[in-house]
């Protein structure tokens, strides 16, 4: 849980709004309970600047009034703006390119062979933001298997934020968002339109989007052949990370691979289920004990 000083220093004044120790603790507790976000004292100025916008929006006099709003009936309407103020949706096509190289070279040959023999192949992009991650997976598949949309190959892409999921579904990106895409894929997998690019249906048809909070019980059992869960666990504390890794492992096929963000580490009991397969990629070892998925609600 969030660290709060044992003795309460006097309320901090200065700045546009007053943010007391008690306000900060209440905000940190709500962020942790509902979204697993771990806000330590070191995040105080970030919390202040990100949430000050919400206070202005609601024309509130101070953080105490915002805490009261969060704890009242307005919570349902406010919770996503609260969350998105505290996190970032930063992503881009082929981010951490070595993961896609690993997928193409080590996993896709067998997965595509299986699909061509009428087998089932499933990938999951957990915390997919505006879609560049699952569409990068889809483009890798299409490059090696142009007929993928006619086979049983599917990518599930989820995020907690329904607004970002709507953007992902639109599959329309600005030219600057295309900069990290290899040129052959740019021409192969999208059509230029006035002012932007539209990904082609041979790519988008492989991806199914949904809204999912990683703190909640998973509404599916998998098994997945690969899971990309990158650059979201950084927001969680160690116990929450361990529960998320455990949950992902429960739906990852033995022999399947888990890809995590560059500054994230596998931790907890479940790390015994894996062997390292590359830079922040882990292969689930066949026969390892399957952990039970547990609810992350505290
Ligand atoms: C920095 S983006 C990462 C996007 C992509 N995975 C990547 O690495 O480029 C983090 C995403 O995590 C999502 N997120 C934050 N908390 C979450 C939670 N509890 N459950 C699911 N998604 C969450 C945010 O909405 C955001 O889109």
């Amino acid at each position: 849980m969030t660290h709060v000083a044992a003795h309460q220093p006097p309320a901090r004044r200065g700045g546009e709004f007053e943010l007391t120790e008690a306000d900060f603790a209440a905000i940190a507790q709500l962020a942790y309970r509902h979204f697993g976000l771990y806000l330590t004292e070191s995040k105080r100025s970030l919390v202040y600047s990100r949430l000050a916008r919400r206070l202005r929006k609601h024309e509130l006099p101070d953080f105490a009034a915002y805490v009261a709003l969060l704890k009242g009936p307005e919570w349902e309407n406010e919770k996503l703006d609260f969350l998105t103020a505290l996190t970032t949706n930063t992503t881009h096509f082929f981010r951490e390119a070595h993961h896609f190289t690993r997928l193409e070279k080590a996993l896709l040959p067998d997965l595509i062979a299986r699909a061509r023999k009428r087998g089932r192949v499933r990938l999951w992009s957990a915390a997919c933001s505006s879609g560049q991650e699952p569409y990068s997976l889809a483009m890798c598949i299409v490059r090696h298997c142009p007929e993928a949309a006619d086979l049983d190959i599917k990518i599930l892409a989820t995020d907690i934020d329904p607004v970002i999921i709507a953007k992902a579904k639109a599959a329309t990106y600005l030219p600057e968002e295309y900069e990290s895409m290899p040129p052959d894929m740019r021409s192969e997998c999208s059509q230029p339109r006035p002012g932007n690019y539209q990904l082609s249906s041979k790519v988008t048809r492989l991806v199914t989007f949904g809204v999912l909070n990683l703190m909640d019980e998973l509404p599916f059992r998998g098994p997945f052949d690969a899971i990309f869960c990158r650059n979201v666990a950084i927001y969680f504390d160690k116990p929450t990370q361990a529960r998320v890794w455990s949950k992902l492992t429960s739906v990852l096929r033995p022999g399947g691979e888990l890809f995590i963000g560059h500054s994230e580490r596998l931790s907890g009991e479940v790390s015994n289920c894996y062997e390292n397969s590359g830079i922040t990629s882990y292969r689930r070892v066949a026969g390892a004990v399957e952990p039970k998925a547990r609810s992350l609600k505290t």
Side-chain angles (χ1 to χ4, degrees), residues 197-242:
Y197 288 89
Q198 175 74 47
L199 281 176
S200 66
S201 64
K202 67 181 173 187
V203 172
T204 57
R205 277 203 292 160
L206 296 183
V207 186
T208 304
F209 288 98
V211 174
L212 178 72
N213 182 351
L214 287 169
M215 300 302 105
D216 291 342
E217 224 40 271
L218 296 184
F220 44 74
R221 305 177 73 87
F224 293 94
D225 298 290
I227 299 176
F228 279 59
C229 184
R230 309 184 309 160
N231 305 303
V232 62
I234 34 167
Y235 295 115
F236 307 149
D237 66 355
K238 282 264 165 344
T240 308
Q241 285 180 7

Side-chain angles (χ1 to χ4, degrees), residues 34-37 83-84 87-92 95-96 125-130 133 158-161 164 212-215 228-232 234-236:
H34 293 281
F35 309 117
L37 304 187
L83 170 75
T84 52
T87 57
T88 149
N89 294 123
T90 302
T91 186
H92 52 83
R95 184 180 195 180
E96 296 171 46
S125 164
C128 66
S129 187
S130 40
E133 182 176 277
T158 60
D159 197 280
I160 195 172
D161 180 352
I164 209 75
L212 178 72
N213 182 351
L214 287 169
M215 300 302 105
F228 279 59
C229 184
R230 309 184 309 160
N231 305 303
V232 62
I234 34 167
Y235 295 115
F236 307 149

Side-chain angles (χ1 to χ4, degrees), residues 3-19:
H3 300 138
V4 182
H7 68 280
Q8 301 276 303
R12 291 179 193 194
R13 293 182 189 277
E16 188 181 353
F17 303 107
E18 185 180 43
L19 172 62

Side-chain angles (χ1 to χ4, degrees), residues 69-229:
L69 180 146
L70 292 175
K71 289 185 168 174
E74 272 300 296
W75 166 252
E76 281 303 319
N77 294 332
E78 181 63 15
K79 65 182 181 187
L80 273 173
D81 289 312
F82 173 65
L83 170 75
T84 52
L86 295 173
T87 57
T88 149
N89 294 123
T90 302
T91 186
H92 52 83
F93 287 108
F94 296 93
R95 184 180 195 180
E96 296 171 46
H98 52 91
H99 284 164
F100 297 92
T101 307
R102 165 96 196 144
L103 178 80
E104 287 194 78
K105 297 215 160 121
L107 276 73
L108 284 187
D110 285 351
L111 296 181
I112 290 171
R114 188 204 298 161
R116 283 180 172 149
K117 286 189 213 142
R118 297 172 183 265
R120 176 183 185 277
V121 172
R122 293 289 181 273
L123 310 183
W124 178 21
S125 164
C128 66
S129 187
S130 40
Q132 287 91 329
E133 182 176 277
Y135 289 138
S136 299
L137 298 174
M139 283 186 269
C140 290
I141 293 170
V142 166
R143 169 140 77 180
H144 297 278
C145 181
E147 78 281 22
D150 301 322
L151 305 178
D152 192 7
I153 303 184
K154 291 194 171 62
I155 299 162
L156 173 67
T158 60
D159 197 280
I160 195 172
D161 180 352
V163 176
I164 209 75
I165 286 292
K167 174 168 167 34
K169 278 185 183 166
T172 306
Y173 297 96
L174 297 170
E176 54 269 32
E177 293 178 295
Y178 260 51
E179 275 163 18
S180 56
M181 194 188 291
D184 63 316
M185 292 204 177
R186 205 176 298 185
S187 51
E188 190 57 32
C189 297
S190 64
Q191 291 98 39
R193 298 193 327 183
N196 60 31
Y197 288 89
Q198 175 74 47
L199 281 176
S200 66
S201 64
K202 67 181 173 187
V203 172
T204 57
R205 277 203 292 160
L206 296 183
V207 186
T208 304
F209 288 98
V211 174
L212 178 72
N213 182 351
L214 287 169
M215 300 302 105
D216 291 342
E217 224 40 271
L218 296 184
F220 44 74
R221 305 177 73 87
F224 293 94
D225 298 290
I227 299 176
F228 279 59
C229 184

Side-chain angles (χ1 to χ4, degrees), residues 22-79:
D23 300 334
F24 182 79
I27 286 167
Q29 207 170 24
L30 285 164
Y32 188 77
R33 179 143 51 92
H34 293 281
F35 309 117
L37 304 187
Y38 184 52
L39 301 175
T40 57
E41 272 293 318
S42 65
K43 301 267 170 66
R44 171 179 274 273
S45 58
L46 178 136
V47 166
Y48 181 97
S49 60
R50 298 281 189 87
L51 292 182
R53 293 181 232 144
R54 302 304 306 156
L55 272 70
R56 278 181 219 117
K57 171 90 181 35
H58 291 290
E59 300 181 351
L60 297 173
D62 53 27
F63 276 89
Y66 187 59
V67 168
L69 180 146
L70 292 175
K71 289 185 168 174
E74 272 300 296
W75 166 252
E76 281 303 319
N77 294 332
E78 181 63 15
K79 65 182 181 187

Side-chain angles (χ1 to χ4, degrees), residues 255-284:
E257 295 206 9
L258 173 63
F259 296 83
I260 67 177
H262 61 97
S263 57
E264 296 163 342
R265 295 288 167 269
L266 264 193
S267 57
E269 242 178 88
V270 90
S271 38
N272 299 330
C273 298
Y274 290 93
E275 63 187 19
N276 200 233
S277 62
I279 306 165
T280 52
S281 69
Y282 301 88
R283 187 170 172 278
R284 185 170 170 204

